[in-house]
Amino acid sequence: MKKTLRNLMLAGAAALLATGANAQTLTEVWKLTTGVPGLASGGEFRFASAKDGKIIVTDKANKKIMAIDENGMAEEAIFDLAEAIDTHYGKDVTYKDQNGADSVAHEVPGGATGITVDDAGNILVGTNFPNASSSTDLIIISSDLSKSYKLQLELPEGVAAGRIDQYGKIVGDMLSEEGAYLWLAINGQSAVAIIKIANGEQVADYCQASNPVSVSMNTSTLAQPMYFTVEEIDALMDENGDLTPSFWSRNRGNAQNIYGWNEDASEQTILKLTETDANGVTTAGAGAEGFATFKLQDVTYFAVPMSLDGKNRSGAFGVYDETGKLHAVYGNPEGVTVGMGQMGSVVAEPVDENSVNIYRFIPGVMAVKTTFSLPAPYDGPAELYIVGYNNQWDPANPTVIPMSETPGVYKATLKFDNSEFKFSENKGTWDEFNTKAMCIRDDQTVALAQPTGIWKYADTNCKTSVELGKEYEVEIDYENETITIKNLTGIEGVEVEENAEAVYYNLQGVKVANPANGAFIKVQGGKASKVLVK
């Protein structure tokens, strides 16, 4: 049977829509479709975050934070919110009761549903849900779970307190001097509250209401970061003290769009998630809660719930980039009903600069951990050097073999006047050249059009069987450690467009759209050269 996108989604597979040997991967680590805590499982579980490789979720009824992994939900809470103040504060703390009056409390008031984690592993939990103070009365729990701190927010002008169900990703460390940023999407408001927290306290000068958003926020609206360092967000404040909007937002009432801002925040932009497969299965954002943003190799990605067979609220999710292109799909797990309840979360937990864990939690239905990864950027040399093929054996003035448009693959057209040659990453003295020289594996002779293995690093001469006095294309695949010498017959006389658009790479082989202030590899008209851009 031909595998369509629909087949893969129904089977619960992790489908990759990109092609090529260096394509990204989406891998299922574990999944649970039975025994998942829900709204009626001894507590009340709604939304989730992630910490230390596990899903963490608030038990609203019993005021606990629970952890979920491949073995299910742990019996013991990782933190007991009901005892948070007595155990960790050591003093009375004033909260607002449901009528807005001061109340000295010795436990967390009301239930908690919203939960999120900052870059340092500190947890933020809301209290007093679903009252208006659920947007202002919060608790910070230290990353080692040993301390908790009350966080009483003063919302910026233009945003009123109201019910808030869930929080997006926090950028930074809430308990550090540099601080962290949180974005609050509060029910019934037309603007998002941008909140900075440092040393466990609100930083008033960096807390503002955003420009009005395009869609009125409801209890499902979630705001996620557009930038991923505190330094970047701090720098958005202009000379008038206005902090540029720095977030994306989405709600299930307009779930096929994610709203952001252009560079100067003068206009809201819409990321439309609208890809459809040959069977008419829409892979756009579904009517379920949540989405996540993350950045890998300077590209922003979105993990978003997906529709299935024209129905909303499946367990599937897709990974899109900032142009709306769909890169990968996690299909609806077997046994999970399409059209189920709408609550739930999609959470991204960074692993390293090339990968991220993506979690999907739907209360009472499913809990899944996957990993989305990109191949590591090429970190080899910007160019290689060859001597001897032309009877010139000067390591200080070798012929350059430039990197092609494919990082790690080097190409040059060379006229062979000698059957022996030597190539290296270095030039200079023979000692320098030989330190990074390469040779043919097992002392083979490089045959025409046959990829031949190379060794790194050995300083013996290489041999070839090509006809001397003729030009050949030499291709060195540095990462796969092969060299291929190809006959130019059939392509001789092809005119190369010298004025073709230039493509730039940094010295690690990563393509750069707008090179500035540094050294780059310029590929144009079939030729590559090293250039300095100021």
Side-chain angles (χ1 to χ4, degrees):
M1 180 179 67
K2 183 179 179 181
K3 288 188 176 182
T4 64
L5 176 59
R6 176 180 181 277
N7 301 142
L8 290 169
M9 292 174 73
L10 285 171
L16 267 296
L17 303 186
T19 58
N22 292 323
Q24 65 272 354
T25 59
L26 179 64
T27 306
E28 180 185 280
V29 180
W30 54 260
K31 71 179 176 185
L32 297 173
T33 54
T34 59
V36 179
L39 296 181
S41 47
E44 189 175 334
F45 301 85
R46 298 190 181 206
F47 301 102
S49 188
K51 179 177 169 63
D52 302 328
K54 300 178 180 180
I55 292 174
I56 60 173
V57 59
T58 52
D59 177 346
K60 174 176 173 287
N62 297 302
K63 301 180 182 178
K64 299 179 185 293
I65 300 177
M66 309 300 294
I68 302 171
D69 61 15
E70 65 269 29
N71 299 311
M73 186 173 73
E75 292 184 6
E76 296 293 327
I78 65 170
F79 196 86
D80 191 337
L81 293 167
E83 299 178 357
I85 293 174
D86 282 342
T87 303
H88 300 287
Y89 282 93
K91 60 180 181 180
D92 291 342
V93 178
T94 300
Y95 279 97
K96 301 289 186 183
D97 65 19
Q98 295 188 24
N99 298 316
D102 288 349
S103 172
V104 176
H106 289 276
E107 64 174 29
V108 174
T113 65
I115 183 170
T116 186
V117 178
D118 69 14
D119 291 331
N122 303 307
I123 302 172
L124 183 70
V125 184
T127 68
N128 216 6
F129 177 83
N131 304 302
S133 58
S134 63
S135 60
T136 57
D137 292 359
L138 303 95
I139 290 177
I140 299 173
I141 302 166
S142 63
S143 60
D144 63 1
L145 308 176
S146 66
K147 299 177 182 178
S148 61
Y149 306 87
K150 177 187 175 183
L151 179 65
Q152 184 87 49
L153 296 179
E154 293 289 337
L155 294 177
E157 184 178 353
V159 178
R163 170 177 167 174
I164 188 165
D165 291 42
Q166 53 186 325
Y167 310 114
K169 166 73 177 170
I170 300 177
V171 174
D173 180 351
M174 294 182 289
L175 299 181
S176 72
E177 186 173 351
E178 183 186 37
Y181 278 95
L182 166 71
W183 295 264
L184 299 180
I186 302 172
N187 183 38
Q189 300 302 295
S190 61
V192 167
I194 305 170
I195 304 294
K196 186 172 185 181
I197 305 162
N199 297 318
E201 300 289 344
Q202 182 175 358
V203 183
D205 289 345
Y206 283 79
C207 295
Q208 298 184 17
S210 74
N211 296 351
V213 296
S214 295
V215 178
S216 179
M217 286 176 283
N218 57 35
T219 59
S220 78
T221 306
L222 186 62
Q224 295 282 16
M226 184 177 287
Y227 303 93
F228 296 90
T229 68
V230 173
E231 183 181 18
E232 284 180 298
I233 303 169
D234 280 347
L236 297 174
M237 183 169 283
D238 64 22
E239 58 187 12
N240 298 318
D242 294 325
L243 190 61
T244 302
S246 50
F247 62 89
W248 301 91
S249 64
R250 173 184 181 266
N251 63 28
R252 69 173 180 260
N254 202 311
Q256 293 185 356
N257 296 329
I258 294 177
Y259 292 88
W261 303 90
N262 61 0
E263 289 187 1
D264 65 2
S266 61
E267 180 180 344
Q268 193 153 42
T269 62
I270 301 176
L271 177 66
K272 292 183 177 294
L273 312 176
T274 56
E275 293 203 18
T276 302
D277 80 341
N279 294 327
V281 178
T282 302
T283 59
E289 302 274 7
F291 75 112
T293 59
F294 57 92
K295 196 169 189 177
L296 296 178
Q297 297 180 14
D298 292 327
V299 176
T300 297
Y301 292 90
F302 303 82
V304 189
M306 300 174 71
S307 59
L308 186 61
D309 284 350
K311 300 177 182 178
N312 287 336
R313 303 168 187 165
S314 76
F317 67 84
V319 178
Y320 302 80
D321 67 22
E322 52 202 342
T323 69
K325 179 181 178 181
L326 179 62
H327 287 263
V329 173
Y330 183 83
N332 196 55
E334 184 177 352
V336 172
T337 303
V338 176
M340 65 209 165
Q342 59 208 17
M343 291 181 187
S345 303
V346 182
V347 182
E349 177 189 43
V351 176
D352 54 38
E353 61 185 7
N354 304 315
S355 60
V356 63
N357 291 330
I358 302 175
Y359 303 84
R360 182 84 166 101
F361 173 75
I362 304 173
V365 178
M366 63 177 283
V368 173
K369 177 182 179 181
T370 66
T371 299
F372 179 75
S373 299
L374 301 179
Y378 177 68
D379 61 357
E383 53 194 15
L384 299 178
Y385 307 101
I386 187 169
V387 296
Y389 74 97
N390 56 357
N391 285 321
Q392 302 297 315
W393 294 88
D394 183 359
N397 296 286
T399 299
V400 173
I401 305 179
M403 187 159 54
S404 69
E405 293 185 7
T406 302
V409 176
Y410 302 79
K411 293 182 180 181
T413 299
L414 305 175
K415 179 183 177 183
F416 279 81
D417 294 319
N418 189 345
S419 62
E420 295 193 13
F421 60 93
K422 200 171 204 178
F423 64 104
S424 174
E425 293 179 26
N426 287 353
K427 63 179 179 178
T429 66
W430 273 116
D431 284 343
E432 291 169 327
F433 191 94
N434 288 337
T435 297
K436 290 294 183 73
M438 290 161 263
C439 72
I440 307 306
R441 291 187 182 183
D442 302 321
D443 200 29
Q444 298 181 71
T445 296
V446 184
L448 190 64
Q450 297 295 321
T452 305
I454 58 177
W455 292 114
K456 306 173 191 175
Y457 298 99
D459 62 2
T460 57
N461 290 354
C462 306
K463 297 179 182 180
T464 179
S465 60
V466 300
E467 182 180 346
L468 300 184
K470 289 183 60 176
E471 287 189 336
Y472 295 88
E473 180 185 80
V474 176
E475 177 180 301
I476 299 171
D477 187 331
Y478 184 88
E479 289 194 291
N480 293 313
E481 298 185 339
T482 63
I483 183 171
T484 308
I485 298 177
K486 302 176 182 179
N487 201 322
L488 292 179
T489 302
I491 65 171
E492 289 178 327
V494 175
E495 185 174 344
V496 176
E497 176 56 60
E498 296 292 339
N499 295 321
E501 182 178 356
V503 179
Y504 293 87
Y505 297 85
N506 63 22
L507 299 187
Q508 286 72 47
V510 179
K511 191 174 181 181
V512 178
N514 298 298
N517 300 324
F520 298 86
I521 301 300
K522 176 183 176 182
V523 179
Q524 185 177 31
K527 299 179 181 179
S529 59
K530 188 175 180 180
V531 296
L532 183 64
V533 179
K534 296 183 178 180

